[in-house]
Amino acid sequence: MTDNPSAAHLKESQGTAAEAGTKATERFAASGKKSKLDVPKERVSLLAGALIKAANDIVEEHEVTYEEYNALKAWLIKVGTDGEWPLFLDVWLEHTVEDVNSKERPGTVGTIEGPYYVSNAPELQTPATLEMREDEEGTPLLFHGDFTDTDGNPIKDAQVEIWHADAAGFYSQYAPDMPEWLFRGTVKADENGHFEIHTMQPAPYQIPTDGACGQLIAAAGWHAWRPAHIHIKVSAPGYQMVTQQLYFPGDPHNEDDIASAVKPELMLDVQERADGSGNEVQYDYVLAKEGESR
Ligand code: MBD
Ligand code: FE
């Protein structure tokens, strides 16, 4: 593919954008999300028509040249061959979809899922320790909290699905040479709705720079960073699921997340543990019952 030594090194350490993209594309195809799609004809016509009109309006307003049109065509084709449609959509569009669809839900705030969720991560009872390697690098983090409903009553049978990058910014199952379930787990809360998870703080994440999305970022002079974050899905029978991410104060990219997925309610209040064994943070979840709305 390339004889650029730095690119070869990149491939060894983190894999290529096309490898991660292909996995994300395959995972989406295999997920229930794809099998349940049944959008009525009227909505398809309305939404596809509005999208096509918006694109045509841009061409007219900005007097797009044939060179620019062909650059767009080549780039869109590359997004597909690199498997980066999940990445592109989740970085630049999902945040608005999430906003529009969570407005009426009371309780804990959500944000985007992103492209790297894997369902059916190993089940762990609280207090849980996520899978990690011997001598795993990073700052240990004890993440704990309590589940209540919107009236303040504890919730039984709640669970926290958690996934995050390692201290180098890589996700298991999307970068090579990582244990399959590294930093991924399904943690069952106790009968009082309390959970405790031992893990390591993730690093800021740079989206792959060697694929179509990276090419766009470089061509536009943007940056490719997301702040360090922990992905979460919380759920309990009879309650609405919340998909969210949690962030660390002081991260330089909290203000300019490429995926526009940071909200003030999602900022953790991290404390140093008194015994010097790393950091600790409490974050509580308020879940809305099925059908409950503002
Ligand atoms: C990520 O880890 C992520 O969370 C998002 C939204 C996009 C790309 C990589
Ligand atoms: Fe992420």
Side-chain angles (χ1 to χ4, degrees):
M1 257 176 74
T2 174
D3 48 23
N4 172 336
S6 67
H9 170 75
L10 191 75
K11 182 170 164 50
E12 251 170 40
S13 61
Q14 66 178 59
T16 63
E19 284 162 0
T22 300
K23 281 181 203 154
T25 299
E26 284 168 358
R27 184 96 55 198
F28 180 76
S31 76
K33 284 176 196 154
K34 203 177 162 188
S35 58
K36 285 189 292 231
L37 306 183
D38 188 14
V39 182
K41 185 165 73 182
E42 294 69 28
R43 287 286 286 178
V44 174
S45 179
L46 176 75
L47 300 176
L51 182 63
I52 290 166
K53 180 174 189 311
N56 279 273
D57 288 349
I58 291 167
V59 171
E60 221 164 58
E61 182 185 349
H62 299 285
E63 301 189 336
V64 170
T65 66
Y66 257 102
E67 187 173 5
E68 290 162 342
Y69 173 67
N70 286 324
L72 172 67
K73 204 186 253 186
W75 183 78
L76 289 171
I77 292 166
K78 185 171 164 61
V79 176
T81 54
D82 287 348
E84 284 198 338
W85 280 114
L87 181 66
F88 172 80
L89 290 167
D90 294 351
V91 165
W92 282 298
L93 195 58
E94 190 189 356
H95 64 97
T96 306
V97 179
E98 195 278 330
D99 278 345
V100 165
N101 286 277
S102 64
K103 278 203 191 102
E104 301 303 319
R105 188 187 64 224
T108 301
V109 163
T111 190
I112 67 173
E113 177 177 318
Y116 298 152
Y117 170 67
V118 180
S119 59
N120 300 115
E123 277 189 17
L124 307 164
Q125 289 299 322
T126 207
T129 301
L130 298 188
E131 179 173 344
M132 54 188 97
R133 296 159 288 203
E134 271 179 52
D135 305 319
E136 186 73 48
E137 286 192 24
T139 305
L141 179 70
L142 170 56
F143 168 53
H144 51 83
D146 294 282
F147 281 92
T148 57
D149 64 19
T150 53
D151 298 321
N153 305 307
I155 297 179
K156 276 186 198 171
D157 303 321
Q159 69 176 27
V160 180
E161 290 179 87
I162 179 169
W163 70 105
H164 63 76
D166 68 6
F170 299 122
Y171 283 88
S172 62
Q173 301 191 37
Y174 293 91
D177 305 324
M178 295 173 85
E180 188 176 16
W181 297 105
L182 185 84
F183 297 132
R184 296 178 180 275
T186 305
V187 179
K188 302 285 178 182
D190 68 18
E191 65 281 2
N192 303 313
H194 180 72
F195 68 90
E196 288 186 29
I197 302 170
H198 291 267
T199 188
M200 290 280 178
Q201 282 187 207
Y205 178 83
Q206 189 176 29
I207 74 161
T209 52
D210 61 322
C213 292
Q215 188 184 45
L216 169 62
I217 288 164
W222 301 339
H223 75 76
W225 290 94
R226 300 214 57 223
H229 57 279
I230 295 176
H231 292 270
I232 306 272
K233 278 180 187 282
V234 284
S235 56
Y239 293 85
Q240 298 177 51
M241 178 181 282
V242 176
T243 300
Q244 62 154 206
Q245 302 177 33
L246 296 169
Y247 301 94
F248 298 84
D251 190 295
H253 294 294
N254 283 337
E255 275 72 51
D256 66 356
D257 177 13
I258 188 183
S260 310
V262 180
K263 302 179 186 182
E265 300 90 333
L266 301 173
M267 210 49 71
L268 289 169
D269 181 17
V270 179
Q271 310 288 329
E272 267 181 54
R273 298 193 77 183
D275 64 4
S277 66
N279 291 334
E280 169 168 357
V281 70
Q282 167 100 10
Y283 192 92
D284 295 326
Y285 289 98
V286 178
L287 299 188
K289 294 194 180 69
E290 267 163 24
E292 188 178 347
S293 71
R294 284 185 196 280

